[in-house]
Amino acid sequence: MSVCLIVQQKDKCFMCSDGAITSNINGANIRVSNKGEKMFVHKNASIFCSGNVKICNKIIKRIKNTDELSIEDIKTIAKDEYYGKSFLEIFVACNKSDDIFTYQISSYNNFEIVERTCLSGQTHILSLGYNSDRNFEILKKLIVKGGSVADIFKNVFENISCPEIGGDISLNIVDKSGAKLIKRFEIKEDVEIKKISDIRDAYFIIAKQLVGEIILGHKLYITSENGEFYIGDMNENAGFGLSIKDSNDVQRVFLGTELENGVRKA
């Protein structure tokens, strides 16, 4: 089973995933390894791939062996290699013209490409995989509390560790310079992790995805994904309030305060 936690902003994206590989034996999920490769860097992208281990290994190998790779190419590879009724999840973060784009491709969404970007001041939190509701709430709580990115992700995985989640943790960043691994660390695991060595078929089970928005910092912004609805600081005029824009990015309603000749007015 797998977990990938993502914090995405306009100009950077952090992705953190575990290395636990499990298999269901006699109704119990057994930890097979702590070093499964579910997330890797290819060119300027960070890529997470999870599902049946045989399928994922083939997909990862084909991606690594392809120099010029578009998101459509990754979709084609995923559809080519997928079989059966198991789950398959691929998540890609890459830099385009100094903006971060993320893409999600999954078997349960008929391999349709889901694209996400952030406006300036937005932060998207995504929780993919096993027990995603609980993982999302823990990540959100720790982000609001504050701390370094690495410490936040480490604390999350120590809180959610179980036979299905844990092992070696990898943290990637994607920004204007490209994609890279910035930290690999072990977590404290209080649960007893059973290991066996003779497993021929293991599964990483993806439960679902959950998307939320929160700002990293001291102030809260509430906004729709396309920016048509926004509550918070208005950076361009040092004001604060509620703004509603139409599809042409023209502001139609503003309710709040702003500075006019150095005087704050409603």
Side-chain angles (χ1 to χ4, degrees):
M1 296 187 180
S2 299
V3 165
C4 185
L5 302 174
I6 300 104
V7 177
Q8 179 184 355
Q9 295 181 316
K10 178 178 172 60
D11 59 350
K12 59 181 173 292
C13 180
F14 297 98
M15 293 174 57
C16 193
S17 181
D18 68 313
I21 301 177
T22 61
S23 183
N24 190 281
I25 300 175
N26 296 325
N29 290 321
I30 305 298
R31 179 85 64 88
V32 178
S33 172
N34 289 333
K35 300 184 181 298
E37 183 182 35
K38 308 173 188 181
M39 185 175 69
F40 60 99
V41 170
H42 181 72
K43 303 299 183 180
N44 72 329
S46 174
I47 303 173
F48 170 77
C49 182
S50 184
N52 180 304
V53 67
K54 294 178 180 178
I55 297 174
C56 290
N57 286 344
K58 291 180 180 179
I59 292 172
I60 291 171
K61 183 178 180 180
R62 286 183 62 179
I63 290 175
K64 288 183 174 181
N65 289 337
T66 307
D67 287 333
E68 298 298 327
L69 196 68
S70 69
I71 192 65
E72 290 289 345
D73 293 330
I74 295 177
K75 174 181 175 178
T76 299
I77 291 172
K79 292 182 72 174
D80 285 348
E81 298 297 342
Y82 179 75
Y83 62 87
K85 298 181 180 180
S86 60
F87 289 106
L88 175 65
E89 179 100 51
I90 298 175
F91 188 89
V92 180
C94 61
N95 172 29
K96 292 183 180 180
S97 302
D98 293 339
D99 284 348
I100 299 301
F101 286 74
T102 61
Y103 304 94
Q104 198 169 353
I105 302 169
S106 60
S107 59
Y108 56 77
N109 200 32
N110 297 319
F111 295 94
E112 293 299 319
I113 298 172
V114 179
E115 180 185 280
R116 294 185 182 88
T117 58
C118 287
L119 298 174
S120 180
Q122 280 185 327
T123 298
H124 289 180
I125 301 174
L126 294 94
S127 173
L128 308 181
Y130 183 75
N131 209 2
S132 62
D133 288 28
R134 177 172 177 264
N135 302 343
F136 174 84
E137 291 301 326
I138 293 173
L139 176 59
K140 182 177 70 173
K141 181 179 178 181
L142 290 173
I143 286 176
V144 173
K145 184 178 179 180
S148 72
V149 171
D151 286 344
I152 288 172
F153 281 116
K154 183 177 181 181
N155 288 340
V156 174
F157 276 98
E158 286 183 345
N159 274 275
I160 66 177
S161 172
C162 61
E164 297 83 359
I165 306 169
D168 292 353
I169 310 299
S170 298
L171 175 60
N172 288 357
I173 186 173
V174 182
D175 56 20
K176 63 182 181 181
S177 64
K180 63 180 179 181
L181 171 73
I182 58 174
K183 194 176 182 72
R184 183 174 282 120
F185 49 86
E186 296 180 355
I187 59 172
K188 296 178 181 178
E189 300 196 76
D190 295 329
V191 296
E192 179 183 354
I193 304 300
K194 299 178 181 178
K195 296 185 179 180
I196 56 178
S197 58
D198 189 21
I199 295 297
R200 298 287 184 256
D201 195 12
Y203 290 86
F204 308 145
I205 302 300
I206 295 299
K208 63 177 180 177
Q209 63 155 333
L210 189 66
V211 181
E213 295 179 4
I214 193 169
I215 186 68
L216 292 175
H218 299 293
K219 297 179 181 178
L220 178 67
Y221 295 75
I222 302 173
T223 181
S224 60
E225 189 165 342
N226 58 13
E228 292 179 355
F229 177 85
Y230 180 93
I231 299 176
D233 280 331
M234 310 293 168
N235 294 330
E236 66 273 10
N237 58 11
F240 180 90
L242 179 150
S243 172
I244 298 177
K245 297 181 179 180
D246 61 23
S247 58
N248 295 319
D249 201 35
V250 176
Q251 183 172 274
R252 297 301 185 184
V253 174
F254 175 74
L255 178 64
T257 64
E258 59 186 9
L259 291 179
E260 185 176 319
N261 298 324
V263 180
R264 182 171 294 279
K265 294 185 177 181

